[in-house]
Amino acid sequence: MADNARAKRLADLIREVVAQKLQRGIKDPRLGSHVTITDTRVTGDLREATVFYTVYGDEEERNAAAAGLESAKGVLRSEVGRAAGVKFTPTLTFVMDALPDTARTIEDLLDKARQSDAKVREASAGARYAGDADPYRKPEEDDETDDTTE
């Protein structure tokens, strides 16, 4: 089993090689400039690599990019093997990165929270306390009440 530093170096190399090959070497129109490699992870035994990517576009472009990456998987793996110089070139698995969708969902939720806070702020603008502004007794009030009760 390889150490984590070696797996990390190999993952970084795979990310760079795949990104460069997608940018310059692959002529598939489905893999235009809208595919971005975001992260790569390699298993501890250096046999499998997961490449995370994002596609800027609609659902049709995402599906086309996924099909293009699957068809270019062999070329990309051989390029990684040539650059890495390891005994066994890891198999590549491409996974759509969910980070942009998650970030968009979080932004939408934060916008809803801001709108809700603004509504509460507007509703409470002219509001007053139900009782006194300060419902707690103060020490000097306690002394006065003690003298009168004796």
Side-chain angles (χ1 to χ4, degrees), residues 93-104:
T93 305
F94 292 96
V95 176
M96 176 76 75
D97 197 353
L99 185 65
D101 294 332
T102 304
R104 191 174 308 116

Side-chain angles (χ1 to χ4, degrees), residues 7-117:
K8 176 73 172 133
R9 282 193 314 267
L10 184 60
D12 290 343
L13 178 72
I14 291 171
R15 186 179 67 242
E16 290 174 16
V17 168
V18 169
Q20 287 176 356
K21 192 68 175 174
L22 285 176
Q23 186 179 19
R24 297 184 193 146
I26 306 243
K27 302 296 183 202
D28 194 339
R30 300 175 290 186
L31 299 174
S33 61
H34 55 274
V35 176
T36 303
I37 304 299
T38 56
D39 192 20
T40 306
R41 296 186 184 149
V42 177
T43 58
D45 61 356
L46 306 178
R47 295 283 182 165
E48 298 175 9
T50 305
V51 180
F52 295 93
Y53 68 96
T54 59
V55 178
Y56 296 105
D58 59 358
E59 193 65 33
E60 182 180 321
E61 290 175 341
R62 290 178 186 166
N63 292 336
L69 286 170
E70 281 299 316
S71 69
K73 187 184 286 189
V75 174
L76 293 171
R77 184 174 180 218
S78 62
E79 190 67 29
V80 166
R82 195 173 304 125
V86 292
K87 184 175 182 179
F88 180 81
T89 303
T91 58
L92 301 178
T93 305
F94 292 96
V95 176
M96 176 76 75
D97 197 353
L99 185 65
D101 294 332
T102 304
R104 191 174 308 116
T105 302
I106 290 172
E107 284 297 322
D108 291 343
L109 291 173
L110 288 173
D111 286 340
K112 286 180 184 177
R114 285 184 199 107
Q115 291 171 358
S116 176
D117 287 348

